[in-house]
Structure formats: structure tokens, C-alpha cells
């Protein structure tokens, strides 16, 4: 770790009292503490009345077996509220039985059995229901010391609990009064709070059926989790792990990375490159969907002549894909080439509006996902139906629908693949006869087919959630903290643009000015923190959504470039002939700056995140053991010699930082 990373939560607390109010991450502490087994092998805590005390890293957790309230006492003696009592009450608890690492008891009135124990430095509480129902717990953010909420919406947010904007309702871009489905709406199954010199991380591996409700009470934002116990969905089990942190905003994600590693669920980009060397071409590459001339050999040559040494080039499923000559040119240039495809949509072949929705035989309608009443699940854009991943998996050994489709899509020599929606949070319960499945089953089927694709292709998907990190090499979308207002804006075709003209659809190429609330919710740097990168950098490469190309939002260009460099993530573009001519030199200058940084650090862990100023306008990241240090100034005034709107990046081998001021890039 670099010398600016404190070695204890107390160090972090003291740093807040300095003139710059530096907040530094103890990611080294997080990674090492949760790796030890000391708390597992320690005594299984103490039980006195309804008070169960269990050892955790950094202190002691106290569970009230009568109400499921959870408190903690830190090693420094602070008392913290980790959860209030379960909402609505649980009824009288049954007797408490000691276990090897904690205790178990029940709430007969709710049909719940509870086990609580210490596991690798965390407090782990499991609830199992013997009937359908729900529970509102944990109740978080109620400690008066709670200062900020961490939420993995896209890349990640750190929301001060007293912030007026976020305490507003959804219609104004805020969180108050809203509910997010953890299985669908968050990129990681966690949330967290900072409490001065301490903090808490909440992980829920049972994210399907779990939601977070946000409320504003007395001008303070708090979050209550709720879980639906549903036998048909297979969600009768609910688990939450609590960990004490140093209060750094990315500490919950560092805790989750450690959890994934401990459970054998953390992918490695280095390993993926060893298994398929083409994955290595992602390092240093920007991403772009090509249209018109940009998907021809001449367009590829133009990019190469501009000095672009790495690119991921994709193309849509329309009638004019990149041909074999263009693919050969791209490979010669050192670029990756991949088609857009989806296995999730089926339409009547006689009326289908996209070739990816046309399937042989009776895939449509026989593979349609069916609701409980037998009607098909309408497909995206109200087109056709969603297709069952289980129906495909059952048919694949004999019919090869997916293998045949993929073979056809890469017949031009493409070495990458973008599989839309497979890794997103939207999963389905299928009641279709012969291919019934739960949402968890849907994930399993998708993982199986993505695993097959990843063996020979550089595989990506849309807004990939953490459960897919081992099978994907890249991801388009989890870099964007999408607020609901974005979908409303995109439906306004007059403002956002539609699918015409065919060689440069305005949906991708028409510049748009975001409404003020949407711009704040998504791109105000003082609320942005790299949760996704802290958890998964070095596992896969993450970008923003493909319809939000770098040129789509002119007012956010500088901020987005600084965020990309700070998080060591690629920019993504939509390119056609005119854009190549007009914006190509700027793209080349930005990529030239990014390429050596990402080649060096793209396979490394994000090990530190700090705010260097009290207004959060100057931010710093570190990757690996000092492999790369990046400082970004989102403000208008210079800080320590770094002008506003600029970024300094320093590789371990550099004598001086490399500076980029993206508003005036030079080649």
C-alpha cells in the first residue's frame, strides 16, 4: 500500500481534522482483517438474556434476540447502531440455542428461524422462513452519527444523509420515498454507512427478493431492507452480513471484494487473459459502436492513422455488419471486433423488426417465458416475448440454437461478443410448461451459456452485476449511475433522438442537455465514488452505457473524462464517418493518455480512494501497490499545482505525473 493510506480507523478519523479534511481508505486493513480466521476460531460470543455478543473484526457485535436490533462496540469503545428493531415486530422469540460460532432461535409467529454467528470477521445473520411472508430488516442509518449512505447504483454513490437533494423525492431526482430492488437495480448486493471515524457494510448474497426502501425523517436519509419469503421463487432464505469499516466511502465495496475472494467468486482478468489471450487487447482500449464508414476497413485505417493503438469496435444487429475485410483490418490494427446480439427476445419471424429476434423452428413462441396465468412475458420495447434461458439450455445439446447463432454472428472473423441483457439484474420466473424456472435459475442458465461463449470470445454484457464477474471480460453500463429520469428522457424521441437515419441513428449521435436534477443525480462528482471498481477492478473492464457515448452529453464531457481516468475505465463512443473526421483527433489524444495507464493497472485492484479537499472536488485513487496513482481536480481552482478540470496520473516507473486537461486535449 502507498504511504498515504492509514493503518487504522483511528488514523482515518484524525485525518478528518486536518485542513484539507482528507478521507483516506484503509483498504489494506479491510483486505487483511477479513482474511484472517481469528474471529471464527474465537469463542462463540456471550449470551445474557436477549443480548448476544459476538466478536467481529474491529470490535464486538451485539444482537438483540428479541427484536433483531444490532449494535456494535468498536475496539476504541464507540457504540454504534447497525440496525434498529425489525419493522412491524417479530412476535415473541423462542428459546436461544448456542451454536459453534453463535446462536440460533426462532420467531414462531412469523415462521422464522434465525442463526447468528461470526464468520471471517463479519456478523452473519440468516433467516429461514417456513411460510411465505416478508420481513423489514435491517433498519439502517438510524445512528445519529451516520453521515453518509453508500449505494452501488451503477459505479457508485456516496450520499450525505442530510443532503437536501437526495432527501427529495424521485420526481426531483432524490431517493426519499423510493424503493430499489437489490436483485435488479443495484450493481453490487450491498449498501453501507459512514459514521464519523467508523462505518458499516451490509452485504446480502440473497439479493433476489430483497429490496431497499429509502425514507427521509427529520431531514435525514435512512434505508430499510425488506425481503420477500416466497417458496415459488426459492427465496425462503435471507442472509445479511455486517462488517465494521473505517468509514471510507468505498469500504463496503472493499469488504465485498474480500467476501467474493473468500468464497471463490472473484474473477481475475489476468486469468482470463491467460485462458484467452485476446482478452488482453481490452487493456488500453476505448470502446465504440461503429456506424457507416466507421465499421469499414477504411474507417478502421483512419483510426489507426490517428494513433489509436487499442479499440473495442462493436456494431449493431442491422443489415450491414462489419464485413470480413473490416474485421481483418481491425485485427491487424490490434483492435477487438464484436457484434451485438441478444438471446432474450423472440418475435414472429414474419413480422420481426430485428434479425436477433428471429429464431428457427418454434423457438417463438414455444420458448416464451410464461407468467403464472400462462400469458407470455412481453419483450423489451413491447416487441415479441422474452425467451426462457432454461428452454434454450434444455434444447441446446440437441438443437444447438445458441451455438449456431453465435457461429453465424462471428463468421466474419469477429473475436469479441456483446450479449445484451444476460448479465443485468432483470431475471424472470418462468411458468412455461417444461421450462419452469425461478429468477435464481434464470441466472444459473445465463451463466452457463456465457461461460461457454467466454472460452473462445472476448465476452461482454450490459450493466453486468457482480454475480457475472467471473464469466465476463467487459461490461457496458455499470459505470453509469442511472437515475429513473433517464428512461423518461430517452422515451422523448424528439429530445433524445430515434433510430433514424440508419447509418447514424440520432439516439446515439444527437447531443443532449440533461435536465439539472438528472445531471446532479448521475454526474455530480461530489456524490460519485468507485464502489464497482473497488469491488471488481482487475476482474473485468467496465464502461458507461452504450447509448451514452462520450459525445452524447456535451456538458458532462470533462467530468466523464476525469472520472474515467480516475477510475481507470475506458470511455465509450458512437462513431460514424463525420464523427471520425471531426472528433477523431480528440479521441486519439484521450486514448493515447489512457492506454499506458490501463495497460499497467487494468488488471490491478483499486486499493485507495480519497477526497483531498473538503468540498470533494479533488479526488485520488491508487491501483495495486502503487502501480498507478491518479489525482483528478473536478473544481475550477488549482489544488497543489493541479489546475481545475485536469488530471495527473503517475505510474510507479514515472519520474513526473502525466497531465491531461480533457477540455483541451493535445496529441
Amino acid at each position: 500500500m502507498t504511504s498515504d493510506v492509514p493503518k487504522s480507523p483511528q488514523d482515518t478519523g484524525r485525518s478528518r481534522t486536518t485542513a484539507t479534511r482528507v478521507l483516506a481508505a484503509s483498504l489494506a486493513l479491510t483486505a487483511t482483517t477479513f482474511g484472517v480466521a481469528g474471529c471464527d476460531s474465537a469463542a462463540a460470543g456471550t449470551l445474557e438474556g436477549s443480548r448476544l455478543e459476538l466478536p467481529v473484526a474491529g470490535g464486538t457485535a451485539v444482537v438483540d434476540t428479541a427484536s433483531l436490533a444490532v449494535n456494535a462496540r468498536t475496539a476504541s469503545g464507540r457504540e454504534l447502531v447497525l440496525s434498529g428493531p425489525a419493522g412491524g415486530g417479530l412476535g415473541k422469540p423462542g428459546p436461544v440455542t448456542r451454536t459453534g460460532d453463535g446462536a440460533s432461535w426462532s420467531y414462531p409467529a412469523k415462521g422464522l428461524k434465525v442463526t447468528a454467528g461470526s464468520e471471517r470477521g463479519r456478523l452473519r445473520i440468516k433467516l429461514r422462513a417456513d411460510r411465505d411472508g416478508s420481513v423489514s430488516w435491517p433498519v439502517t442509518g438510524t445512528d445519529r452519527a451516520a453521515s453518509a449512505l453508500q449505494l452501488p447504483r451503477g459505479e457508485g454513490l456516496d450520499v450525505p444523509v442530510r443532503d437536501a437533494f437526495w432527501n427529495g423525492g424521485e420526481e426531483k431526482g432524490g431517493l426519499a420515498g423510493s424503493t430499489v430492488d437489490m436483485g435488479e437495480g443495484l450493481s453490487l448486493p450491498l449498501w453501507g454507512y459512514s459514521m464519523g471515524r467508523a462505518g458499516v457494510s451490509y452485504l446480502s448474497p440473497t439479493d433476489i427478493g430483497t429490496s431497499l426502501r429509502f425514507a427521509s425523517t427529520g431531514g435525514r436519509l435512512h434505508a430499510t431492507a425488506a425481503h420477500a419469503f416466497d417458496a415459488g421463487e426459492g427465496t425462503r432464505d435471507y442472509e445479511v452480513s455486517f462488517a465494521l469499516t473505517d468509514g471510507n466511502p468505498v469500504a463496503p465495496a472493499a469488504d465485498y471484494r474480500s467476501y467474493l475472494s473468500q468464497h471463490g467468486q472473484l474473477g481475475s482478468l489476468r486469468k482470463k487473459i491467460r485462458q484467452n489471450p485476446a482478452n488482453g487487447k481490452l487493456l488500453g482500449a476505448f470502446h465504440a459502436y461503429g456506424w457507416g464508414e466507421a465499421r469499414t476497413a477504411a474507417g478502421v485505417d483512419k483510426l489507426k492513422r490517428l494513433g489509436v493503438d487499442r479499440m473495442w469496435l462493436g456494431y449493431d444487429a442491422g443489415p450491414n455488419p462489419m464485413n470480413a475485410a473490416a474485421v481483418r483490418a481491425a485485427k491487424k490494427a490490434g483492435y477487438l471486433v464484436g457484434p451485438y446480439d441478444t438471446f432474450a427476445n423472440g418475435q414472429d419471424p414474419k413480422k420481426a423488426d430485428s434479425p436477433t429476434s428471429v429464431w428457427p423452428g418454434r423457438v417463438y413462441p414455444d420458448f416464451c417465458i410464461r407468467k403464472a396465468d400462462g400469458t407470455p412475458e412481453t419483450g423489451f420495447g413491447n416487441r415479441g416475448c422474452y425467451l426462457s434461458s432454461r428452454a434454450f439450455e434444455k434444447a441446446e445439446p440437441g438443437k444447438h440454437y445458441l451455438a449456431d447463432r453465435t457461429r453465424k454472428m462471428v463468421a466474419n472473423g469477429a473475436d469479441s461478443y456483446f450479449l445484451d441483457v444476460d448479465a443485468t439484474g432483470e431475471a424472470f420466473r418462468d411458468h412455461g410448461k417444461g421450462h419452469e424456472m425461478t429468477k435464481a435459475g434464470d441466472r444459473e442458465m445465463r451463466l452457463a451459456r456465457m461461460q461457454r461463449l467466454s472460452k473462445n470470445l472476448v465476452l461482454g454484457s450490459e450493466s453486468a452485476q457482480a454475480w457475472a464477474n467471473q464469466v465476463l471480460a467487459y461490461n457496458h453500463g455499470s459505470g453509469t449511475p442511472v437515475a429513473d429520469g433517464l428512461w423518461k428522457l430517452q422515451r422523448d424521441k424528439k429530445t433524445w433522438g430515434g433510430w433514424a437515419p440508419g447509418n447514424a441513428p440520432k439516439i446515439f449521435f444527437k447531443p443532449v442537455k440533461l435536465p439539472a436534477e438528472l445531471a446532479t443525480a448521475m454526474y455530480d462528482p461530489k456524490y460519485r465514488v468507485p464502489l464497482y471498481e473497488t469491488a471488481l477492478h482487475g476482474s473485468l473492464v467496465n464502461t458507461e452505457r452504450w447509448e451514452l457515448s462520450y459525445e452524447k452529453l456535451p456538458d458532462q464531457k470533462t467530468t466523464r473524462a476525469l472520472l474515467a481516468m480516475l477510475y481507470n475505465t475506458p470511455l465509450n463512443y458512437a462513431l460514424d464517418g463525420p464523427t471520425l473526421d471531426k472528433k477523431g483527433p480528440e479521441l486519439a489524444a484521450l486514448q493515447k493518455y489512457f492506454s499506458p495507464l490501463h495497460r499497467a493497472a487494468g488488471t490491478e485492484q483499486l486499493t485507495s480512494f480519497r477526497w483531498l479537499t473538503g468540498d470533494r472536488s479533488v479526488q485520488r485513487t491508487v491501483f495495486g501497490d502503487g502501480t498507478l496513482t491518479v489525482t483528478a481536480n473536478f473544481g475550477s481552482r488549482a489544488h497543489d499545482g493541479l489546475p481545475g478540470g485536469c488530471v495527473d496520473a503517475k505510474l510507479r516507473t514515472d519520474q513526473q505525473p502525466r497531465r491531461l486537461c480533457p477540455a483541451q486535449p493535445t496529441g
Side-chain angles (χ1 to χ4, degrees):
M1 298 297 294
T2 53
S3 59
D4 61 7
V5 179
K7 298 301 185 286
S8 73
Q10 288 74 23
D11 289 343
T12 304
R14 282 198 298 272
S15 71
R16 276 209 183 84
T17 64
T18 63
T20 55
R21 292 170 60 202
V22 170
L23 180 59
S26 287
L27 299 192
L29 177 77
T30 306
T32 55
T33 301
F34 295 131
V36 301
C39 288
D40 286 346
S41 56
T46 61
L47 178 66
E48 189 173 327
S50 66
R51 183 183 172 92
L52 174 66
E53 293 196 4
L54 293 166
V56 294
T60 302
V62 184
V63 182
D64 182 355
T65 60
S67 68
L68 273 188
V70 183
N71 293 334
R73 185 173 59 253
T74 70
S76 62
R78 278 192 62 192
E79 299 285 339
L80 303 175
V81 179
L82 306 189
S83 173
L90 297 165
K92 185 179 178 181
V96 181
T97 303
R98 300 305 305 273
T99 62
D101 63 353
S104 65
W105 65 98
S106 64
Y107 299 107
K110 296 278 283 186
L112 293 175
K113 181 181 178 182
V114 184
T115 57
S118 298
E119 183 186 73
R120 294 183 175 176
R122 300 181 188 86
L123 167 67
R124 185 177 73 171
I125 297 182
K126 290 183 173 183
L127 282 67
R128 170 165 285 183
D130 65 9
R131 68 196 73 165
D132 287 356
S134 65
V135 65
S136 294
W137 177 87
V139 180
T140 68
T142 59
D143 192 307
R144 298 303 295 177
S147 58
L149 161 72
Q150 289 87 44
L151 188 69
R153 178 193 273 182
E155 180 58 64
L157 299 172
D158 179 87
V159 177
V161 297
R162 289 191 176 277
D163 189 280
F165 175 81
W166 294 104
N167 276 273
E170 284 182 282
E171 67 283 352
K172 294 289 187 182
L175 285 171
S178 67
T179 299
V180 60
D181 184 322
M182 286 187 68
E184 287 192 13
L186 298 182
S187 56
L188 309 169
L190 63 86
W191 72 105
Y193 274 91
S194 297
M195 303 175 183
R197 300 182 182 190
V200 58
S201 160
Y202 305 90
L203 308 181
S204 182
T206 51
D207 57 326
I208 294 175
T210 305
S211 59
L212 272 182
R213 296 195 299 261
F214 303 98
S216 178
T217 306
R220 292 172 57 86
L221 198 65
H222 57 90
T224 298
H227 184 80
F229 300 104
D230 185 326
E233 267 299 0
T235 59
R236 286 276 185 89
D237 290 292
Y238 178 37
E239 178 181 336
V240 180
S241 283
F242 302 71
L244 299 181
T245 73
D246 64 357
N248 183 272
V250 298
D255 176 33
Y256 183 53
R257 183 186 183 94
S258 179
Y259 176 94
L260 288 174
S261 180
Q262 291 160 0
H263 289 80
Q265 297 168 8
L266 181 64
S268 163
L269 192 53
R270 282 194 185 99
K271 183 178 178 183
K272 293 168 188 175
I273 292 169
R274 286 197 301 270
Q275 291 171 341
N276 178 6
N279 285 315
K281 293 197 282 184
L282 286 168
L283 297 176
F286 277 0
H287 294 232
Y289 270 89
W291 305 81
E293 186 194 357
R295 62 172 66 169
T296 66
V300 170
D301 290 341
K302 192 175 286 188
L303 270 174
K304 190 65 177 177
R305 286 197 305 273
L306 285 167
V308 176
D309 70 343
R310 291 279 175 98
M311 284 292 290
W312 179 93
L313 293 174
Y315 50 93
D316 76 321
N320 298 301
M322 288 186 80
N323 61 27
V327 170
R328 282 195 300 272
K331 285 183 169 180
K332 184 179 178 182
Y335 302 168
L336 286 164
V337 177
Y340 166 96
D341 196 7
T342 178
F343 299 161
N345 191 248
Q347 298 180 40
D348 182 341
K350 296 172 185 160
K351 306 175 187 173
D353 58 9
S354 168
T356 60
S357 299
V358 177
W359 295 90
R362 288 189 55 84
V363 167
Y364 180 88
D366 289 0
F367 285 18
C368 288
I369 292 171
R370 300 283 169 176
K371 301 176 187 176
D373 64 4
T375 59
E377 189 76 53
T378 304
F380 37 84
N382 293 315
R383 299 148 55 241
C385 71
Y386 277 99
L387 297 174
S388 171
S389 59
R390 183 151 193 259
F392 271 124
E393 285 302 287
K394 288 185 70 176
E396 193 64 12
K399 296 292 188 180
H400 317 301
Y401 293 127
L402 302 182
D404 289 348
R405 163 69 75 88
T406 304
R407 196 177 301 111
K408 179 181 177 184
M409 295 291 276
V410 300
N412 59 358
D415 52 2
S416 183
Y417 215 77
F418 180 81
L419 188 61
D420 203 11
V421 310
D422 255 35
T424 61
E426 188 176 35
F428 291 97
R429 171 102 179 264
D430 187 1
H431 296 268
K433 190 172 182 181
H435 47 84
E436 297 89 347
M437 66 180 179
T438 61
K439 289 181 179 178
D442 193 8
R443 281 186 183 176
E444 289 174 17
M445 300 299 113
R446 295 188 201 183
L447 280 172
R449 67 195 191 190
M450 286 191 284
Q451 181 66 50
R452 293 195 299 271
L453 281 172
S454 70
K455 289 179 180 176
N456 300 304
L457 294 163
V458 178
L459 182 65
S461 190
E462 176 196 0
S463 300
Q465 292 192 314
W467 53 265
N469 87 86
Q470 291 177 283
V471 298
L472 296 178
Y474 68 93
N475 155 43
H476 292 166
S478 291
T480 308
V482 173
D484 285 347
L486 180 66
W487 310 131
K488 181 180 178 182
L489 185 63
Q490 289 189 4
R491 287 192 293 269
D492 178 3
K493 298 303 182 188
K494 184 177 180 182
T495 301
W496 192 263
W499 284 93
N503 62 347
K506 289 188 176 180
I507 190 172
F508 301 114
F509 288 92
K510 182 183 179 183
V512 170
K513 183 179 179 66
L514 292 178
E517 287 101 352
L518 199 52
T520 297
M522 292 174 61
Y523 290 112
D524 191 326
K526 70 173 175 281
Y527 302 127
R528 293 286 301 263
V529 289
L531 296 178
Y532 195 90
E533 297 316 309
T534 299
L536 296 177
H537 197 276
S539 174
L540 74 170
V541 175
N542 181 32
T543 75
E544 287 212 59
R545 294 186 60 82
W546 73 308
E547 79 273 25
L548 296 177
S549 72
Y550 185 56
E551 300 293 341
K552 182 72 177 179
L553 308 173
D555 291 354
Q556 279 72 44
K557 278 182 66 174
T558 296
T559 293
R560 293 172 80 193
L562 293 181
L563 286 168
M565 303 308 156
L566 184 68
Y567 297 168
N568 199 231
T569 55
L571 291 171
N572 67 336
Y573 284 79
L575 297 175
D576 66 346
T579 307
L580 270 175
D581 292 334
K582 187 178 179 183
K583 301 293 185 180
E586 180 187 33
L587 181 159
L590 292 169
Q591 193 271 336
K592 183 179 180 181
Y593 181 84
F594 175 76
S595 185
L597 307 179
H598 196 236
R599 286 186 190 219
T603 56
E604 299 281 352
Q605 178 182 357
L606 193 162
T607 47
S608 174
F609 172 77
R610 313 169 60 188
W611 292 305
L612 302 186
T613 56
D615 64 0
R616 303 184 173 188
S617 64
V618 185
Q619 305 179 13
R620 175 172 291 162
T621 52
V622 179
F623 296 85
D625 188 11
T627 300
L628 172 66
T629 301
V630 186
T631 307
N633 187 346
F634 296 95
S636 54
R637 282 189 266 178
H639 173 80
D640 201 20
L642 178 62
C646 297
V647 60
D648 272 353
K650 189 173 185 295
L651 294 172
R652 185 194 284 110
T653 52
D654 289 341
Q655 295 299 312
Q656 296 293 328
R658 306 160 184 237
R659 179 161 294 174
L660 174 73
C661 300
Q664 313 97 32
T666 55

